[in-house]
């Protein structure tokens, strides 16, 4: 009985010596980098990106240019529509002049009806009606070309993608999952180490959010930590990158 008690006591003492003072255990988890304030922006017209005017971490104001797409093809289409509009307007002007002359001629005939036969009067009226239809057709053609020009100009404007609001993308976070035992090491305010292999960058992050529920299958909960990212590294670290997150139990809990 005494021997068994001695063995149990020795095992408990060795376990206590192996664990950090705060009762946490070390862990290594795979995480993903994300931006706390994320917005998805996409081009409304197809094309090739010509220039990216900002980088991750740059501060922008509303309406600042973010991306410029090549508008060469759209500009060519606009030039064609502008030329067609010029032709359509000239044809409308010509049709309106012809219609005006026909109306004056018909008016003169009707001013002296006894000097002209009914057939002559009807022919003059028919000519006015025919030219009126031509004017309406030309006016519709002008409206179509004006709409085409306006549409082309809108598409060209859409090749410049602008910031919808002021702000900065410098707040980067890492999301990862830990088990219940490991979460004692990654409590709110704890500092964790983050290794981004794609860029061979090692950073630290402070745990700010912890999921309130535990996944019944994996027995893990989700944590989110804010990266302590130097400005010089913002341009090489992007949302969507994977990272390894590990806890140093000796670092203690910081940043409460």
């Amino acid at each position: 009985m005494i021997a068994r008690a001695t063995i149990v006591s020795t095992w408990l003492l060795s376990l206590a010596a192996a664990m950090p003072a705060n009762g946490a255990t070390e862990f290594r988890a795979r995480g993903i980098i994300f931006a706390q304030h994320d917005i998805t922006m996409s081009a409304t017209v197809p094309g090739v990106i010509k220039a990216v005017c900002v980088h991750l971490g740059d501060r922008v104001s509303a309406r600042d240019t973010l991306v410029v797409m090549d508008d060469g093809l759209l500009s060519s289409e606009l030039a064609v529509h502008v030329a067609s509009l010029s032709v359509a307007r000239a044809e409308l002007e010509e049709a309106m002049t012809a219609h005006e002359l026909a109306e004056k001629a018909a008016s003169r005939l009707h001013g002296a009806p006894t000097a002209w036969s009914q057939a002559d009067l009807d022919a003059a009226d028919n000519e006015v009606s025919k030219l009126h239809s031509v004017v309406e057709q030309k006016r519709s053609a002008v409206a179509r070309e004006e709409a085409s020009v306006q549409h082309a100009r809108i598409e060209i404007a859409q090749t410049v993608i602008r910031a919808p609001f002021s702000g900065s993308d410098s707040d980067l976070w890492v999301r990862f999952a830990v088990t219940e035992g490991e979460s004692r090491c990654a409590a709110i305010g704890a500092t964790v180490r983050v290794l981004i292999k794609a860029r061979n960058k090692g950073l630290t992050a402070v745990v700010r959010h912890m999921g309130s529920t535990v996944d019944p299958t994996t027995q893990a909960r989700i944590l989110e930590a804010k990266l302590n990212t130097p400005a010089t590294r913002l341009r090489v670290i992007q949302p969507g990158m994977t990272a390894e997150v590990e806890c140093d139990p000796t670092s203690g809990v910081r940043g409460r």
Side-chain angles (χ1 to χ4, degrees), residues 37-67:
H37 302 289
D38 194 13
I39 180 172
T40 300
M41 301 182 66
S42 59
T44 55
V45 293
V48 178
I49 293 177
K50 184 177 181 180
V52 178
C53 304
V54 294
H55 299 86
L56 189 64
D58 289 350
R59 183 161 190 85
V60 298
S61 299
R63 303 299 299 163
D64 278 358
T65 299
L66 304 180
V67 176

PDB file of all heavy atoms in Angstrom, residues 37-67:
ATOM      1  N   HIS A  37     -11.489  43.447 -41.636  1.00  0.00           N
ATOM      2  CA  HIS A  37     -12.523  44.138 -42.406  1.00  0.00           C
ATOM      3  C   HIS A  37     -12.277  43.809 -43.870  1.00  0.00           C
ATOM      4  O   HIS A  37     -11.395  44.369 -44.507  1.00  0.00           O
ATOM      5  CB  HIS A  37     -12.476  45.647 -42.169  1.00  0.00           C
ATOM      6  CG  HIS A  37     -12.641  46.018 -40.730  1.00  0.00           C
ATOM      7  ND1 HIS A  37     -13.843  45.891 -40.066  1.00  0.00           N
ATOM      8  CD2 HIS A  37     -11.753  46.483 -39.820  1.00  0.00           C
ATOM      9  CE1 HIS A  37     -13.691  46.276 -38.809  1.00  0.00           C
ATOM     10  NE2 HIS A  37     -12.434  46.634 -38.634  1.00  0.00           N
ATOM     11  N   ASP A  38     -13.053  42.882 -44.379  1.00  0.00           N
ATOM     12  CA  ASP A  38     -12.816  42.362 -45.723  1.00  0.00           C
ATOM     13  C   ASP A  38     -13.966  42.745 -46.642  1.00  0.00           C
ATOM     14  O   ASP A  38     -15.124  42.721 -46.239  1.00  0.00           O
ATOM     15  CB  ASP A  38     -12.691  40.836 -45.654  1.00  0.00           C
ATOM     16  CG  ASP A  38     -12.108  40.261 -46.931  1.00  0.00           C
ATOM     17  OD1 ASP A  38     -11.587  41.043 -47.732  1.00  0.00           O
ATOM     18  OD2 ASP A  38     -12.179  39.036 -47.104  1.00  0.00           O
ATOM     19  N   ILE A  39     -13.633  43.118 -47.849  1.00  0.00           N
ATOM     20  CA  ILE A  39     -14.655  43.427 -48.846  1.00  0.00           C
ATOM     21  C   ILE A  39     -14.206  42.844 -50.175  1.00  0.00           C
ATOM     22  O   ILE A  39     -13.030  42.938 -50.538  1.00  0.00           O
ATOM     23  CB  ILE A  39     -14.897  44.950 -48.976  1.00  0.00           C
ATOM     24  CG1 ILE A  39     -15.978  45.221 -50.027  1.00  0.00           C
ATOM     25  CG2 ILE A  39     -13.621  45.694 -49.317  1.00  0.00           C
ATOM     26  CD1 ILE A  39     -16.417  46.663 -50.078  1.00  0.00           C
ATOM     27  N   THR A  40     -15.115  42.196 -50.850  1.00  0.00           N
ATOM     28  CA  THR A  40     -14.800  41.601 -52.141  1.00  0.00           C
ATOM     29  C   THR A  40     -15.157  42.584 -53.246  1.00  0.00           C
ATOM     30  O   THR A  40     -16.287  43.051 -53.329  1.00  0.00           O
ATOM     31  CB  THR A  40     -15.579  40.290 -52.345  1.00  0.00           C
ATOM     32  OG1 THR A  40     -15.220  39.371 -51.308  1.00  0.00           O
ATOM     33  CG2 THR A  40     -15.252  39.679 -53.693  1.00  0.00           C
ATOM     34  N   MET A  41     -14.174  42.887 -54.079  1.00  0.00           N
ATOM     35  CA  MET A  41     -14.394  43.794 -55.196  1.00  0.00           C
ATOM     36  C   MET A  41     -14.036  43.061 -56.479  1.00  0.00           C
ATOM     37  O   MET A  41     -13.067  42.304 -56.522  1.00  0.00           O
ATOM     38  CB  MET A  41     -13.540  45.056 -55.046  1.00  0.00           C
ATOM     39  CG  MET A  41     -13.817  45.834 -53.777  1.00  0.00           C
ATOM     40  SD  MET A  41     -12.827  47.328 -53.661  1.00  0.00           S
ATOM     41  CE  MET A  41     -13.503  48.264 -55.028  1.00  0.00           C
ATOM     42  N   SER A  42     -14.816  43.286 -57.505  1.00  0.00           N
ATOM     43  CA  SER A  42     -14.552  42.616 -58.776  1.00  0.00           C
ATOM     44  C   SER A  42     -14.820  43.581 -59.922  1.00  0.00           C
ATOM     45  O   SER A  42     -15.586  44.536 -59.783  1.00  0.00           O
ATOM     46  CB  SER A  42     -15.429  41.368 -58.921  1.00  0.00           C
ATOM     47  OG  SER A  42     -16.800  41.712 -58.847  1.00  0.00           O
ATOM     48  N   ALA A  43     -14.179  43.302 -61.032  1.00  0.00           N
ATOM     49  CA  ALA A  43     -14.385  44.134 -62.214  1.00  0.00           C
ATOM     50  C   ALA A  43     -15.746  43.822 -62.821  1.00  0.00           C
ATOM     51  O   ALA A  43     -16.178  42.673 -62.856  1.00  0.00           O
ATOM     52  CB  ALA A  43     -13.279  43.870 -63.230  1.00  0.00           C
ATOM     53  N   THR A  44     -16.428  44.852 -63.285  1.00  0.00           N
ATOM     54  CA  THR A  44     -17.736  44.658 -63.911  1.00  0.00           C
ATOM     55  C   THR A  44     -17.615  44.459 -65.414  1.00  0.00           C
ATOM     56  O   THR A  44     -18.600  44.158 -66.083  1.00  0.00           O
ATOM     57  CB  THR A  44     -18.647  45.861 -63.623  1.00  0.00           C
ATOM     58  OG1 THR A  44     -17.990  47.057 -64.057  1.00  0.00           O
ATOM     59  CG2 THR A  44     -18.932  45.977 -62.127  1.00  0.00           C
ATOM     60  N   VAL A  45     -16.411  44.645 -65.942  1.00  0.00           N
ATOM     61  CA  VAL A  45     -16.168  44.394 -67.364  1.00  0.00           C
ATOM     62  C   VAL A  45     -14.952  43.476 -67.483  1.00  0.00           C
ATOM     63  O   VAL A  45     -14.031  43.556 -66.674  1.00  0.00           O
ATOM     64  CB  VAL A  45     -15.914  45.705 -68.141  1.00  0.00           C
ATOM     65  CG1 VAL A  45     -17.165  46.553 -68.183  1.00  0.00           C
ATOM     66  CG2 VAL A  45     -14.762  46.491 -67.539  1.00  0.00           C
ATOM     67  N   PRO A  46     -14.950  42.581 -68.468  1.00  0.00           N
ATOM     68  CA  PRO A  46     -13.785  41.704 -68.643  1.00  0.00           C
ATOM     69  C   PRO A  46     -12.604  42.487 -69.194  1.00  0.00           C
ATOM     70  O   PRO A  46     -12.776  43.512 -69.864  1.00  0.00           O
ATOM     71  CB  PRO A  46     -14.288  40.658 -69.638  1.00  0.00           C
ATOM     72  CG  PRO A  46     -15.349  41.371 -70.422  1.00  0.00           C
ATOM     73  CD  PRO A  46     -16.010  42.308 -69.452  1.00  0.00           C
ATOM     74  N   GLY A  47     -11.407  42.003 -68.912  1.00  0.00           N
ATOM     75  CA  GLY A  47     -10.232  42.686 -69.432  1.00  0.00           C
ATOM     76  C   GLY A  47      -8.968  42.235 -68.743  1.00  0.00           C
ATOM     77  O   GLY A  47      -8.967  41.295 -67.946  1.00  0.00           O
ATOM     78  N   VAL A  48      -7.892  42.925 -69.058  1.00  0.00           N
ATOM     79  CA  VAL A  48      -6.568  42.612 -68.520  1.00  0.00           C
ATOM     80  C   VAL A  48      -6.141  43.731 -67.578  1.00  0.00           C
ATOM     81  O   VAL A  48      -6.295  44.919 -67.895  1.00  0.00           O
ATOM     82  CB  VAL A  48      -5.540  42.474 -69.663  1.00  0.00           C
ATOM     83  CG1 VAL A  48      -4.146  42.206 -69.105  1.00  0.00           C
ATOM     84  CG2 VAL A  48      -5.958  41.358 -70.616  1.00  0.00           C
ATOM     85  N   ILE A  49      -5.626  43.346 -66.408  1.00  0.00           N
ATOM     86  CA  ILE A  49      -5.167  44.347 -65.443  1.00  0.00           C
ATOM     87  C   ILE A  49      -3.916  45.034 -65.979  1.00  0.00           C
ATOM     88  O   ILE A  49      -2.946  44.386 -66.361  1.00  0.00           O
ATOM     89  CB  ILE A  49      -4.883  43.691 -64.081  1.00  0.00           C
ATOM     90  CG1 ILE A  49      -6.196  43.200 -63.464  1.00  0.00           C
ATOM     91  CG2 ILE A  49      -4.194  44.683 -63.144  1.00  0.00           C
ATOM     92  CD1 ILE A  49      -6.017  42.476 -62.151  1.00  0.00           C
ATOM     93  N   LYS A  50      -3.964  46.343 -66.004  1.00  0.00           N
ATOM     94  CA  LYS A  50      -2.845  47.138 -66.503  1.00  0.00           C
ATOM     95  C   LYS A  50      -1.940  47.607 -65.370  1.00  0.00           C
ATOM     96  O   LYS A  50      -0.721  47.659 -65.510  1.00  0.00           O
ATOM     97  CB  LYS A  50      -3.394  48.347 -67.274  1.00  0.00           C
ATOM     98  CG  LYS A  50      -2.348  49.219 -67.923  1.00  0.00           C
ATOM     99  CD  LYS A  50      -3.018  50.342 -68.709  1.00  0.00           C
ATOM    100  CE  LYS A  50      -2.005  51.239 -69.393  1.00  0.00           C
ATOM    101  NZ  LYS A  50      -2.682  52.330 -70.152  1.00  0.00           N
ATOM    102  N   ALA A  51      -2.542  47.952 -64.233  1.00  0.00           N
ATOM    103  CA  ALA A  51      -1.745  48.448 -63.108  1.00  0.00           C
ATOM    104  C   ALA A  51      -2.503  48.249 -61.807  1.00  0.00           C
ATOM    105  O   ALA A  51      -3.723  48.408 -61.762  1.00  0.00           O
ATOM    106  CB  ALA A  51      -1.407  49.928 -63.298  1.00  0.00           C
ATOM    107  N   VAL A  52      -1.766  47.869 -60.760  1.00  0.00           N
ATOM    108  CA  VAL A  52      -2.298  47.815 -59.399  1.00  0.00           C
ATOM    109  C   VAL A  52      -1.670  48.980 -58.650  1.00  0.00           C
ATOM    110  O   VAL A  52      -0.447  49.058 -58.515  1.00  0.00           O
ATOM    111  CB  VAL A  52      -1.963  46.478 -58.709  1.00  0.00           C
ATOM    112  CG1 VAL A  52      -2.477  46.475 -57.278  1.00  0.00           C
ATOM    113  CG2 VAL A  52      -2.563  45.313 -59.493  1.00  0.00           C
ATOM    114  N   CYS A  53      -2.493  49.889 -58.188  1.00  0.00           N
ATOM    115  CA  CYS A  53      -2.001  51.167 -57.670  1.00  0.00           C
ATOM    116  C   CYS A  53      -1.795  51.188 -56.161  1.00  0.00           C
ATOM    117  O   CYS A  53      -1.298  52.181 -55.624  1.00  0.00           O
ATOM    118  CB  CYS A  53      -2.963  52.284 -58.073  1.00  0.00           C
ATOM    119  SG  CYS A  53      -3.243  52.379 -59.857  1.00  0.00           S
ATOM    120  N   VAL A  54      -2.203  50.136 -55.458  1.00  0.00           N
ATOM    121  CA  VAL A  54      -2.036  50.095 -54.009  1.00  0.00           C
ATOM    122  C   VAL A  54      -1.477  48.744 -53.602  1.00  0.00           C
ATOM    123  O   VAL A  54      -1.506  47.785 -54.378  1.00  0.00           O
ATOM    124  CB  VAL A  54      -3.372  50.344 -53.272  1.00  0.00           C
ATOM    125  CG1 VAL A  54      -3.873  51.755 -53.507  1.00  0.00           C
ATOM    126  CG2 VAL A  54      -4.415  49.328 -53.700  1.00  0.00           C
ATOM    127  N   HIS A  55      -0.975  48.685 -52.388  1.00  0.00           N
ATOM    128  CA  HIS A  55      -0.467  47.446 -51.822  1.00  0.00           C
ATOM    129  C   HIS A  55      -1.117  47.224 -50.464  1.00  0.00           C
ATOM    130  O   HIS A  55      -1.667  48.152 -49.863  1.00  0.00           O
ATOM    131  CB  HIS A  55       1.057  47.491 -51.663  1.00  0.00           C
ATOM    132  CG  HIS A  55       1.787  47.664 -52.954  1.00  0.00           C
ATOM    133  ND1 HIS A  55       2.026  48.902 -53.510  1.00  0.00           N
ATOM    134  CD2 HIS A  55       2.320  46.752 -53.813  1.00  0.00           C
ATOM    135  CE1 HIS A  55       2.685  48.753 -54.655  1.00  0.00           C
ATOM    136  NE2 HIS A  55       2.872  47.464 -54.859  1.00  0.00           N
ATOM    137  N   LEU A  56      -1.040  45.997 -49.998  1.00  0.00           N
ATOM    138  CA  LEU A  56      -1.588  45.673 -48.696  1.00  0.00           C
ATOM    139  C   LEU A  56      -0.947  46.564 -47.639  1.00  0.00           C
ATOM    140  O   LEU A  56       0.271  46.682 -47.564  1.00  0.00           O
ATOM    141  CB  LEU A  56      -1.323  44.202 -48.365  1.00  0.00           C
ATOM    142  CG  LEU A  56      -2.023  43.658 -47.122  1.00  0.00           C
ATOM    143  CD1 LEU A  56      -3.529  43.688 -47.311  1.00  0.00           C
ATOM    144  CD2 LEU A  56      -1.563  42.245 -46.828  1.00  0.00           C
ATOM    145  N   GLY A  57      -1.786  47.215 -46.856  1.00  0.00           N
ATOM    146  CA  GLY A  57      -1.289  48.105 -45.815  1.00  0.00           C
ATOM    147  C   GLY A  57      -1.361  49.567 -46.181  1.00  0.00           C
ATOM    148  O   GLY A  57      -1.261  50.429 -45.309  1.00  0.00           O
ATOM    149  N   ASP A  58      -1.514  49.876 -47.491  1.00  0.00           N
ATOM    150  CA  ASP A  58      -1.636  51.277 -47.902  1.00  0.00           C
ATOM    151  C   ASP A  58      -2.953  51.849 -47.394  1.00  0.00           C
ATOM    152  O   ASP A  58      -3.986  51.177 -47.419  1.00  0.00           O
ATOM    153  CB  ASP A  58      -1.600  51.397 -49.428  1.00  0.00           C
ATOM    154  CG  ASP A  58      -0.225  51.115 -49.991  1.00  0.00           C
ATOM    155  OD1 ASP A  58       0.723  51.013 -49.193  1.00  0.00           O
ATOM    156  OD2 ASP A  58      -0.104  50.998 -51.219  1.00  0.00           O
ATOM    157  N   ARG A  59      -2.909  53.081 -46.965  1.00  0.00           N
ATOM    158  CA  ARG A  59      -4.137  53.759 -46.556  1.00  0.00           C
ATOM    159  C   ARG A  59      -4.718  54.479 -47.767  1.00  0.00           C
ATOM    160  O   ARG A  59      -4.001  55.148 -48.503  1.00  0.00           O
ATOM    161  CB  ARG A  59      -3.880  54.749 -45.432  1.00  0.00           C
ATOM    162  CG  ARG A  59      -5.166  55.407 -44.935  1.00  0.00           C
ATOM    163  CD  ARG A  59      -5.023  56.030 -43.570  1.00  0.00           C
ATOM    164  NE  ARG A  59      -6.320  56.430 -43.058  1.00  0.00           N
ATOM    165  CZ  ARG A  59      -7.158  55.641 -42.422  1.00  0.00           C
ATOM    166  NH1 ARG A  59      -6.826  54.389 -42.210  1.00  0.00           N
ATOM    167  NH2 ARG A  59      -8.322  56.071 -41.996  1.00  0.00           N
ATOM    168  N   VAL A  60      -6.006  54.308 -47.986  1.00  0.00           N
ATOM    169  CA  VAL A  60      -6.656  54.910 -49.145  1.00  0.00           C
ATOM    170  C   VAL A  60      -7.852  55.728 -48.691  1.00  0.00           C
ATOM    171  O   VAL A  60      -8.411  55.504 -47.616  1.00  0.00           O
ATOM    172  CB  VAL A  60      -7.122  53.830 -50.150  1.00  0.00           C
ATOM    173  CG1 VAL A  60      -5.943  53.057 -50.692  1.00  0.00           C
ATOM    174  CG2 VAL A  60      -8.130  52.884 -49.508  1.00  0.00           C
ATOM    175  N   SER A  61      -8.213  56.675 -49.524  1.00  0.00           N
ATOM    176  CA  SER A  61      -9.420  57.468 -49.309  1.00  0.00           C
ATOM    177  C   SER A  61     -10.484  57.001 -50.286  1.00  0.00           C
ATOM    178  O   SER A  61     -10.177  56.378 -51.310  1.00  0.00           O
ATOM    179  CB  SER A  61      -9.126  58.959 -49.518  1.00  0.00           C
ATOM    180  OG  SER A  61      -8.152  59.413 -48.597  1.00  0.00           O
ATOM    181  N   ALA A  62     -11.721  57.293 -49.960  1.00  0.00           N
ATOM    182  CA  ALA A  62     -12.818  56.918 -50.844  1.00  0.00           C
ATOM    183  C   ALA A  62     -12.585  57.492 -52.239  1.00  0.00           C
ATOM    184  O   ALA A  62     -12.176  58.643 -52.387  1.00  0.00           O
ATOM    185  CB  ALA A  62     -14.141  57.425 -50.277  1.00  0.00           C
ATOM    186  N   ARG A  63     -12.801  56.652 -53.254  1.00  0.00           N
ATOM    187  CA  ARG A  63     -12.648  57.000 -54.666  1.00  0.00           C
ATOM    188  C   ARG A  63     -11.204  56.989 -55.138  1.00  0.00           C
ATOM    189  O   ARG A  63     -10.931  57.291 -56.300  1.00  0.00           O
ATOM    190  CB  ARG A  63     -13.284  58.362 -54.994  1.00  0.00           C
ATOM    191  CG  ARG A  63     -14.759  58.472 -54.659  1.00  0.00           C
ATOM    192  CD  ARG A  63     -15.584  57.480 -55.432  1.00  0.00           C
ATOM    193  NE  ARG A  63     -15.486  57.694 -56.866  1.00  0.00           N
ATOM    194  CZ  ARG A  63     -15.835  56.803 -57.796  1.00  0.00           C
ATOM    195  NH1 ARG A  63     -16.266  55.601 -57.429  1.00  0.00           N
ATOM    196  NH2 ARG A  63     -15.724  57.080 -59.079  1.00  0.00           N
ATOM    197  N   ASP A  64     -10.254  56.622 -54.274  1.00  0.00           N
ATOM    198  CA  ASP A  64      -8.876  56.470 -54.743  1.00  0.00           C
ATOM    199  C   ASP A  64      -8.805  55.296 -55.721  1.00  0.00           C
ATOM    200  O   ASP A  64      -9.514  54.296 -55.571  1.00  0.00           O
ATOM    201  CB  ASP A  64      -7.926  56.201 -53.570  1.00  0.00           C
ATOM    202  CG  ASP A  64      -7.516  57.472 -52.861  1.00  0.00           C
ATOM    203  OD1 ASP A  64      -7.930  58.558 -53.306  1.00  0.00           O
ATOM    204  OD2 ASP A  64      -6.789  57.379 -51.852  1.00  0.00           O
ATOM    205  N   THR A  65      -7.933  55.408 -56.713  1.00  0.00           N
ATOM    206  CA  THR A  65      -7.780  54.342 -57.704  1.00  0.00           C
ATOM    207  C   THR A  65      -7.026  53.163 -57.099  1.00  0.00           C
ATOM    208  O   THR A  65      -5.945  53.332 -56.537  1.00  0.00           O
ATOM    209  CB  THR A  65      -7.024  54.856 -58.938  1.00  0.00           C
ATOM    210  OG1 THR A  65      -7.772  55.927 -59.528  1.00  0.00           O
ATOM    211  CG2 THR A  65      -6.849  53.752 -59.968  1.00  0.00           C
ATOM    212  N   LEU A  66      -7.610  51.969 -57.214  1.00  0.00           N
ATOM    213  CA  LEU A  66      -6.982  50.752 -56.711  1.00  0.00           C
ATOM    214  C   LEU A  66      -6.357  49.942 -57.846  1.00  0.00           C
ATOM    215  O   LEU A  66      -5.213  49.513 -57.756  1.00  0.00           O
ATOM    216  CB  LEU A  66      -8.017  49.886 -55.980  1.00  0.00           C
ATOM    217  CG  LEU A  66      -8.780  50.546 -54.826  1.00  0.00           C
ATOM    218  CD1 LEU A  66      -9.765  49.556 -54.227  1.00  0.00           C
ATOM    219  CD2 LEU A  66      -7.821  51.063 -53.773  1.00  0.00           C
ATOM    220  N   VAL A  67      -7.133  49.737 -58.906  1.00  0.00           N
ATOM    221  CA  VAL A  67      -6.688  48.914 -60.032  1.00  0.00           C
ATOM    222  C   VAL A  67      -7.104  49.595 -61.336  1.00  0.00           C
ATOM    223  O   VAL A  67      -8.199  50.149 -61.429  1.00  0.00           O
ATOM    224  CB  VAL A  67      -7.301  47.497 -59.970  1.00  0.00           C
ATOM    225  CG1 VAL A  67      -6.907  46.675 -61.191  1.00  0.00           C
ATOM    226  CG2 VAL A  67      -6.872  46.779 -58.695  1.00  0.00           C
TER     227      VAL A  67
END
